[in-house]
Amino acid sequence: MAGNWKMYKTPRETATFFDHFKPLVDGYDRCDIVIFPPAIDIPAAVSAASGANIAIGGQNIYWGKEGAFTGEISAEMLTAAGARWTLVGHSERRHVVASETDAEVLKKTQAALAAGLTPIVCMGERLEDHKAGKTNEVLIRQFAGGVAGLTEEQFALVAAAYEPVWAIGTGQTATPEIAAAAHKLIREESEKRFGSDAAQKLRILYGGSVKPDNIRGLMKEFEIDGVLVGGASLDPESFSKIVKAA
Ligand code: PGA
């Protein structure tokens, strides 16, 4: 159960969040709990979450180890700061703040793995694709250009997220059935490329307007292994309710 804070919260607000959130999930061990704060908050989050069952991740990495890449952060830097996970290829990076391509998503995923981070590789179709019935086509293309380029050993270490762009931050959630169908497709593509065992073990998260009042319907779906939550992860109470639906 993952929370993506996007560009919200200062280091001080991060510490306050954890003061409230930690007791709410204390001892809860039915799932991994991961929070992805803005990079500048990672040290505060790592320190606040130490000793708790909560891991910290980055929202983005660059594939180089170091170099003249103004504004970027390497996987090694995230690891050194105490992060254990990273998002890769979030739709806001693909379509809003950058124009990340599938090839870049693959390079970032490989860099994350080389540094010992667990990447959550995000995929999802835009509204126009959804309306045109092109969801499967987009997911197959993103899969083929991205994670399909990993080795079997690398693939065993990644998680995936299905995030229909039209459902992100819009209050419009994909129905559990729509999400489950997309997850099934990602699992089928995984099976074709990496075999049935690897496909069954892949954790696929759903993301897009997940809230405490729709989480149970989503988690009932066999295909949905967890969720990647934006807005509703900013509040300790609401995120703890979502976590406990695992
Ligand atoms: P949202 O964001 O829950 O605010 O829709 C989800 C995401 O982008 O990960």
Side-chain angles (χ1 to χ4, degrees):
M1 307 302 262
N4 170 15
W5 283 0
K6 309 193 176 184
M7 203 176 75
Y8 288 97
K9 294 193 192 292
T10 63
R12 188 184 291 270
E13 288 164 346
T14 298
T16 306
F17 172 93
F18 279 95
D19 284 347
H20 289 98
F21 183 63
K22 275 206 298 191
L24 295 172
V25 295
D26 187 35
Y28 192 79
D29 61 2
R30 294 196 49 187
C31 61
D32 285 321
I33 306 172
V34 193
I35 292 188
F36 295 87
I40 199 154
D41 298 332
I42 287 174
V46 167
S47 144
S50 97
N53 51 333
I54 306 162
I56 305 303
Q59 296 176 8
N60 177 43
I61 53 165
Y62 190 72
W63 53 82
K65 274 197 169 60
E66 57 184 14
F69 305 110
T70 302
E72 298 292 340
I73 294 172
S74 72
E76 286 76 9
M77 289 169 184
L78 269 189
T79 311
R84 296 287 167 260
W85 296 67
T86 186
L87 300 179
V88 179
H90 188 276
S91 72
E92 283 147 23
R93 301 227 38 101
R94 289 178 186 262
H95 306 302
V96 183
V97 288
S99 303
E100 279 182 19
T101 63
D102 294 330
E104 288 169 345
V105 168
L106 175 59
K107 283 202 268 188
K108 290 182 179 207
T109 307
Q110 290 165 327
L113 291 168
L117 295 169
T118 302
I120 300 180
V121 185
C122 306
M123 294 167 241
E125 81 285 8
R126 287 192 271 190
L127 182 62
E128 57 265 38
D129 301 318
H130 180 66
K131 281 188 176 155
K134 290 186 176 164
T135 301
N136 290 5
E137 193 184 304
V138 171
L139 291 177
I140 289 170
R141 190 179 66 229
Q142 291 179 341
F143 185 92
V147 279
L150 298 174
T151 65
E152 284 175 27
E153 292 71 29
Q154 289 172 328
F155 183 76
L157 300 172
V158 307
Y162 168 59
E163 297 216 307
V165 182
W166 48 272
I168 295 178
T170 58
Q172 205 187 332
T173 329
T175 61
E177 295 73 26
I178 293 177
H183 285 216
K184 193 158 177 284
L185 179 88
I186 294 171
R187 220 176 281 287
E188 282 164 6
E189 291 306 298
S190 305
E191 181 167 351
K192 281 188 219 155
R193 169 70 182 86
F194 297 103
S196 124
D197 193 42
Q200 291 313 315
K201 286 187 181 142
L202 176 68
R203 288 186 283 181
I204 309 178
L205 281 58
Y206 167 76
S209 299
V210 175
K211 307 283 178 227
D213 62 4
N214 59 26
I215 182 66
R216 294 200 180 271
L218 290 162
M219 291 307 292
K220 269 195 202 131
E221 292 291 338
F222 173 75
E223 280 292 343
I224 300 179
D225 302 313
V227 285
L228 178 52
V229 186
S233 71
L234 294 168
D235 174 68
E237 288 281 342
S238 87
F239 191 48
S240 71
K241 284 185 190 149
I242 291 172
V243 165
K244 288 181 175 169

